[in-house]
Amino acid sequence: MCMVIFAPLFAIFAFATCGGYSGGLRLSVDCVNKTESNLSIDIAFAYPFRLHQVTFEVPTCEGKERQKLALVGDSSSSAEFFVTVAVFAFLYSLAATVVYIFFQNKYRENNRGPLIDFIVTVVFSFLWLVGSSAWAKGLSDVKVATDPKEVLLLMSACKQPSNKCMAVHSPVMSSLNTSVVFGFLNFILWAGNIWFVFKETGWHSSGQRYLSDPMEKHSSSYNQGAYNQDSYGSSAGYSQQASLGPSSTEFGQQPSGPTSFNNQI
């Protein structure tokens, strides 16, 4: 039930916070010649974070000449993979919810539904782990590439001590951090659901039968041994009584001797 409720929600939060992101930073370059300065250099970037395609122009503080620069890095592969996993996990969760509620009989028919569900759950658990780890590394690269201090190092005008370069504001990465958190939460949710789906498969029931058969054999052999011990004890007692019978008879015939001697006298 937890899987049915939380899996679609966690998947939505994962791909929405990553795929819907757009941010930017603002820099200022104050040249010695104030007419050449630019105090508002806006650099915008967004999903899928192909930062090497984000270009901007900055003053060189050497006349009216402008320098065209671009951000460094490309995290599109990890970001797109993460969002793709989240979207497909969301769609599968919705389909599984419909099957659980309205097609429960067909789901358990021939044990095919639980087996497919188990395999898909294992696959998505692995994809969430790989996708979240890759996107966490990609987000780290995005943070470094969009750090205002790193961007200022790309400007030739900022290498001259007479010019003043500073960051007006930095990009806000809170939603991207949230996407990584929800990515690993999805992995924990799907991995934890593996055991519950496995219990629905025939593999779990066959394993229980395999474990119960040796225990039944052991208990039956124990009962048979106890029965043999009881029968052996009763037969031994019967033999002992039979052996004592003739001796008591012989003991009863001993007075006949003295009786015959008196008769002779």
Side-chain angles (χ1 to χ4, degrees):
M1 184 60 67
C2 292
M3 178 67 180
V4 173
I5 297 174
F6 292 109
L9 293 177
F10 283 10
I12 289 174
F13 286 127
F15 71 74
T17 52
C18 179
Y21 178 83
S22 61
L25 64 155
R26 178 174 295 177
L27 307 174
S28 68
V29 178
D30 189 8
C31 302
V32 176
N33 186 357
K34 301 299 182 181
T35 58
E36 300 174 356
S37 301
N38 189 347
L39 303 180
S40 180
I41 303 173
D42 292 321
I43 304 173
F45 59 95
Y47 174 85
F49 307 104
R50 294 187 177 94
L51 301 180
H52 64 285
Q53 297 180 357
V54 178
T55 59
F56 55 97
E57 292 185 353
V58 296
T60 60
C61 297
E62 296 176 356
K64 295 183 179 181
E65 185 180 354
R66 310 281 293 180
Q67 183 183 13
K68 188 175 183 178
L69 299 173
L71 297 178
V72 179
D74 183 6
S75 300
S76 60
S77 58
S78 60
E80 289 175 342
F81 180 76
F82 179 80
V83 172
T84 301
V85 172
V87 171
F88 278 103
F90 170 74
L91 295 176
Y92 179 78
S93 299
L94 289 183
T97 303
V98 173
V99 172
Y100 291 158
I101 297 175
F102 299 103
F103 302 99
Q104 187 66 232
N105 294 330
K106 291 186 178 180
Y107 172 76
R108 299 180 181 276
E109 185 178 356
N110 297 327
N111 199 35
R112 184 177 301 175
L115 288 178
I116 295 175
D117 195 15
F118 173 74
I119 294 173
V120 173
T121 302
V122 172
V123 171
F124 268 112
S125 300
F126 176 75
L127 291 178
W128 273 119
L129 177 61
V130 174
S132 300
S133 301
W135 172 229
K137 176 61 171 61
L139 177 58
S140 177
D141 295 339
V142 171
K143 289 180 178 180
V144 172
T146 58
D147 186 359
K149 295 180 180 179
E150 296 293 330
V151 178
L152 290 175
L153 294 177
L154 301 175
M155 304 178 185
S156 59
C158 298
K159 297 177 181 179
Q160 302 175 7
S162 57
N163 302 322
K164 296 180 181 180
C165 300
M166 64 178 61
V168 178
H169 70 77
S170 301
V172 179
M173 300 286 187
S174 57
S175 62
L176 296 181
N177 295 331
T178 304
S179 68
V180 174
V181 172
F182 274 104
F184 284 105
L185 286 177
N186 275 284
F187 163 69
I188 294 173
L189 180 64
W190 285 80
N193 193 51
I194 292 176
W195 167 246
F196 297 101
V197 178
F198 176 73
K199 289 173 64 177
E200 300 292 332
T201 63
W203 297 336
H204 179 262
S205 58
S206 61
Q208 284 186 334
R209 288 196 300 268
Y210 176 78
L211 292 175
S212 62
D213 289 342
M215 295 181 65
E216 291 177 357
K217 292 180 180 179
H218 178 72
S219 61
S220 61
S221 62
Y222 177 79
N223 294 330
Q224 185 176 1
Y227 174 77
N228 293 334
Q229 184 177 3
D230 293 340
S231 61
Y232 174 77
S234 61
S235 62
Y238 177 77
S239 300
Q240 184 176 3
Q241 291 178 359
S243 61
L244 291 175
S247 61
S248 63
T249 305
E250 292 176 357
F251 179 77
Q253 291 177 356
Q254 288 179 0
S256 63
T259 305
S260 60
F261 178 76
N262 293 329
N263 291 334
Q264 289 177 1
I265 296 175

